[in-house]
Amino acid sequence: MKAAVLEDIGKISIKEMEKPKPGPGEVLIKIEYVGICGSDVHYYEHGRIGDFVVESPLVLGHECSGTIVGTGADVTGLFVGDRVVPEPGYACNKCEFCKSGRYNLCDGMTFMATPPVDGAFCEYIAYPADMTFKLPDNVSLVEGALIEPLAIGIYAAHRGKVFPGSKVLVQGAGCIGLVTMLACRAFGATEVTITDVLENRLQAALKLGADNIINSRKAAILPDSVDIAIDCVGIETTVNGSIDVVKKGGKVVLVGMGGDDRVPVNLNRAIGKEIDFATIFRYRNIFPTALKMVSDGKIDINGIVSHTFDFSEIGKAMEFVMNNKNEVVKAVIKL
Ligand SMILES: [Zn+2]
Ligand SMILES: [Zn+2]
């Protein structure tokens, strides 16, 4: 099979790799669409994200959808021909975090496109059936590839306890900010304001249903004006901005990991307002909810994709996404 391999910083080549065989409990998935995530671009550009370092050739891509073309032993409920979306990580199922249902915190997590685990920019993957979800008939394969980022948005809204009538601020209008905004809407938020410094992203947010957009280069947000602030950026100005705009007793949800590990925060203001902080790391137990919400029409994610590239153009696609952040909202690769 063909796979796009990150061989060095800034170098992706399509190579022949052995086609995987589904083991017991696994399905063989023919990949159809894969989204290009910020993390893929980061590995391509820098060869690392924090402690995760690319030390040997790696297949990127984890936001994928596909069709089942084979099943291993002991697979029930999934069949050849099913259109599916694999949740890109599977855990050990043995540790205290797994046993308490918080499998996203498992130290034994095997997560696609996180070194040294290969991802989905390839023709086939063999994957655990219990982490592979069938697409409802009315959900397309392109939408399927967006379920992973959407799961983050839904989890962020869930952790922020967004309620009917809440006023929410979302910092950052990249893919994650946009899906977070959509999730807050679906959770009943009546006013969602979204910030960014890139005008194309703000315009995309407006089209997708944001009530207010704020270009944070040009304007500030009113202090004490929202119930929940969800930070999908993670830098000093956005984290402190979130603390400023949240009402007393409100919530700040930290989603985005910015470039710096240590971010100076106005802690005294946060304490003085009795703000509740929450963070999220990926998601857990959200894919079925995300698929149902899309299928039921509660969330329309079709407007997220701004660019589609053919698999053969993947190198060009990575360069394009890296160099045109003011143009790209979400790029997907069609296999
Ligand atoms: Zn992603
Ligand atoms: Zn575990």
Side-chain angles (χ1 to χ4, degrees):
M1 69 161 185
K2 290 185 171 60
V5 181
L6 177 67
E7 297 188 289
D8 209 335
I9 288 177
K11 184 170 185 244
I12 284 188
S13 322
I14 295 186
K15 302 236 146 154
E16 275 302 318
M17 270 174 82
E18 202 176 324
K19 184 174 164 183
K21 288 193 179 68
E26 289 184 342
V27 289
L28 183 67
I29 303 169
K30 181 178 182 295
I31 300 292
E32 309 267 9
Y33 284 93
V34 192
I36 297 181
C37 178
S39 66
D40 296 317
V41 178
H42 203 92
Y43 281 125
Y44 176 79
E45 206 174 348
H46 303 286
R48 68 185 304 152
I49 295 179
D51 295 338
F52 293 107
V53 183
V54 183
E55 275 159 350
S56 53
L58 181 74
V59 178
L60 294 171
H62 61 269
E63 303 174 357
C64 56
S65 63
T67 308
I68 294 185
V69 291
T71 53
D74 309 323
V75 172
T76 51
L78 288 175
F79 304 95
V80 169
D82 282 351
R83 299 172 320 123
V84 292
V85 47
E87 184 171 327
Y90 56 92
C92 80
N93 291 335
K94 291 186 175 71
C95 70
E96 75 170 283
F97 302 106
C98 285
K99 287 190 167 171
S100 60
R102 296 172 295 164
Y103 64 85
N104 59 320
L105 305 178
C106 173
D107 285 326
M109 177 68 90
T110 305
F111 203 91
M112 279 187 207
T114 302
V117 181
D118 278 337
F121 285 145
C122 59
E123 290 180 296
Y124 300 94
I125 61 167
Y127 209 71
D130 71 319
M131 293 305 273
T132 300
F133 300 91
K134 199 175 162 188
L135 288 175
D137 288 342
N138 66 345
V139 177
S140 72
L141 285 157
V142 177
E143 290 172 309
L146 297 168
I147 292 298
E148 197 267 352
L150 176 61
I152 298 173
I154 292 174
Y155 190 35
H158 170 77
R159 290 276 281 165
K161 298 194 169 68
V162 173
F163 55 91
S166 49
K167 285 187 178 184
V168 180
L169 175 80
V170 176
Q171 301 263 29
C175 177
I176 296 299
L178 294 175
V179 292
T180 299
M181 187 261 296
L182 293 174
C184 291
R185 268 266 181 265
F187 275 50
T190 43
E191 198 180 307
V192 184
T193 302
I194 189 160
T195 70
D196 207 289
V197 293
L198 296 174
E199 203 52 43
N200 69 312
R201 293 185 171 181
L202 292 169
Q203 291 309 321
L206 259 192
K207 257 193 229 139
L208 289 166
D211 296 287
N212 312 302
I213 53 170
I214 292 177
N215 189 324
S216 27
R217 278 231 172 88
K218 297 175 189 155
I221 316 130
L222 289 177
D224 304 316
S225 58
V226 303
D227 302 294
I228 300 139
I230 304 181
D231 190 324
C232 301
V233 184
I235 60 174
E236 187 176 344
T237 48
T238 59
V239 175
N240 285 293
S242 296
I243 291 170
D244 286 342
V245 301
V246 110
K247 290 177 192 169
K248 283 194 264 185
K251 293 189 177 57
V252 171
V253 184
L254 303 172
V255 177
M257 286 185 176
D260 295 320
D261 288 345
R262 288 165 188 267
V263 176
V265 165
N266 190 335
L267 203 53
N268 288 347
R269 180 168 298 153
I271 293 169
K273 293 169 85 166
E274 203 179 81
I275 288 172
D276 286 338
F277 283 96
T279 63
I280 71 163
F281 181 64
R282 296 176 180 148
Y283 37 74
R284 56 178 176 245
N285 306 310
I286 299 279
F287 269 50
T289 306
L291 284 166
K292 183 90 171 86
M293 290 179 96
V294 171
S295 175
D296 289 352
K298 294 204 168 70
I299 292 180
D300 181 1
I301 42 174
N302 278 301
I304 299 275
V305 174
S306 60
H307 294 77
T308 306
F309 293 90
D310 196 76
F311 185 47
S312 60
E313 310 174 302
I314 187 161
K316 191 181 123 193
M318 297 296 278
E319 284 292 318
F320 187 84
V321 174
M322 186 171 85
N323 295 320
N324 296 277
K325 296 202 171 86
N326 57 348
E327 214 179 299
V328 178
V329 175
K330 184 79 192 174
V332 295
I333 300 289
K334 184 179 186 308
L335 263 293

